[in-house]
Structures are given as structure tokens and as C-alpha cells.
Amino acid sequence: MAEIIFTKDAPAAVGPYSQAIKTGNTVYCSGQIPLVPETGALLEGDIKQQTKRCFENIEAVLKAAGGSLDNIVKTTVFLINMSDFAEVNEMYAECLGDNKPARSCVAVAELPKGAQIEIEVLAVL
């Protein structure tokens, strides 16, 4: 049976979906944009700061599910501007350390709330 994962330490969903769903030892995390959990406002800052905020939100959701960033096995990164790729890559590597999950990165026309980046992950606990 699937378990809905929710934590106040990550932004509430901005639509009719869950922060994550856990089934067995697999956690399917919804995409995280750089929202500040306490305010629900989009983090202002450069793309590195926004990338870090996405991972902080993901980390909070995974913690609520009983895991950590080390449990991530697949990521999908959505960027408004592919010219941000190098800077995102730097912060991505810093946030994940030695964990190097499989990854896709795609350019998109628009993201919720005017975000410049969104990251979704799949984790196995």
C-alpha cells in the first residue's frame, strides 16, 4: 500500500498532488522548485542558490520518508535556461557529494510560480 509523505519542512504542494509517495522501499518525490517552506515564496537568488534550495526541500521530504539524499537513484532536472547548466551542475555535485544518481536534464518553456529550476527524484531506502 502506498503511503503519502508530507512534511512542514518542505513547501506544501501547489496543486492536487503529494510531496512524495512511498511504496515499499521506493520513494517517488514530486518536483521541487526553490520555494521557501516557511513562506511559500520563491527564493530570490542566483541559480546556484535556487538549486541548493531545491535540494534542501528534497532532503526534507526524503527525511520524512525515512531516507536522505544518499538514497536518490534517479533525478530529473528541469531548467528554463540551459545556459545555467554548468552552475546547476556545480551545486548539484556539491549537494549530492559522492552519490551520483542517474539523471536527465531538460530545458522547458515555463515552470510553476516563475521558477528557473525544478528537480524531481526517485529514491530507494
Side-chain angles (χ1 to χ4, degrees):
M1 180 169 180
E3 174 188 353
I4 294 173
I5 303 299
F6 173 79
T7 178
K8 292 181 182 177
D9 294 330
V14 296
Y17 58 89
S18 301
Q19 290 171 326
I21 297 293
K22 180 179 177 183
T23 181
N25 65 343
T26 305
V27 182
Y28 299 87
C29 293
S30 294
Q32 287 288 329
I33 59 176
L35 294 178
V36 178
E38 298 80 15
T39 64
L42 195 63
L43 176 78
E44 293 190 25
D46 64 26
I47 194 67
K48 282 184 165 182
Q49 293 167 315
Q50 291 183 20
T51 302
K52 184 176 181 182
R53 177 78 259 173
C54 290
F55 275 110
E56 289 168 347
N57 294 342
I58 291 165
E59 185 173 36
V61 172
L62 289 175
K63 183 178 178 184
S68 71
L69 295 178
D70 290 336
N71 296 107
I72 297 172
V73 297
K74 172 69 169 82
T75 66
T76 305
V77 179
F78 304 92
L79 293 174
I80 294 297
N81 191 338
M82 200 52 90
S83 66
D84 289 332
F85 182 80
E87 289 181 286
V88 167
N89 223 24
E90 285 179 41
M91 184 55 66
Y92 179 100
E94 184 177 316
C95 289
L96 291 179
D98 291 335
N99 185 20
K100 295 181 177 28
R103 178 178 78 180
S104 300
C105 183
V106 296
V108 296
E110 191 173 3
L111 289 168
K113 297 194 173 235
Q116 299 299 302
I117 184 170
E118 180 173 355
I119 302 172
E120 71 177 30
V121 304
L122 173 65
V124 177
L125 307 181

